[in-house]
Amino acid sequence: MSTPTVSFSELSKNSKRVAETLDKAQRVHITRRDGEDLYLTTARHDQQREETADITAKLLGALVGIDGGARAILRALPAVFPWVRHLSADELREFVTELIDATNDAAHLDVHATLHRVVVEWRATARVLADPELTAQLTRRLPDEDHGEVTAP
């Protein structure tokens, strides 16, 4: 189901109609010219999203804790994140640990940016590792020159 979109001015002019749309769709995308877009959602829809995140976090955590669960997660990861094939076994385990921690943060602390950051950063790492020339360039030994202390910006 696609999310209906209305402009911020439409929301302010026809709030009753937008509320009726929201009752049907549970979520409405609000576009703004002078700021970041918004989403208007029902409390029930938001609660369901929180419950979904909580279940996902608990499921991942429980899988890691049982015999064979970690292997199952590692085998399933390429279906969700095809780029993990460029990570070493140690990097893959580190990614899974960070992914589970970030999923728990999203579910229990309502901090979703961490999960996004973990995926973006590991995908960037895989992108570098997928390019042998770039990997060689970024992992070559630096000159033994000392340019002094780096000061805080």
Side-chain angles (χ1 to χ4, degrees), residues 1-4 21-28 44-45:
M1 180 166 107
S2 65
T3 302
T21 301
L22 182 62
D23 286 338
K24 293 176 192 164
Q26 296 188 42
R27 182 171 135 138
V28 175
R44 178 174 39 109
H45 183 69

Side-chain angles (χ1 to χ4, degrees), residues 30-38:
I30 310 295
T31 58
R32 299 190 309 169
R33 281 180 290 199
D34 299 332
E36 188 174 356
D37 286 0
L38 307 172

Side-chain angles (χ1 to χ4, degrees), residues 5-15 17-18 28-40:
T5 300
V6 298
S7 66
F8 190 79
S9 59
E10 167 125 10
L11 172 63
S12 62
K13 291 176 188 172
N14 300 306
S15 59
R17 190 182 66 71
V18 173
V28 175
H29 178 208
I30 310 295
T31 58
R32 299 190 309 169
R33 281 180 290 199
D34 299 332
E36 188 174 356
D37 286 0
L38 307 172
Y39 281 94
L40 187 60

Side-chain angles (χ1 to χ4, degrees), residues 123-149:
R123 183 175 46 226
T125 298
R127 187 174 292 129
V128 168
L129 294 172
D131 182 343
E133 289 179 29
L134 184 57
T135 299
Q137 182 181 3
L138 293 175
T139 58
R140 78 182 192 295
R141 182 164 167 70
L142 296 174
D144 289 332
E145 301 170 12
D146 185 351
H147 297 281
E149 183 178 339

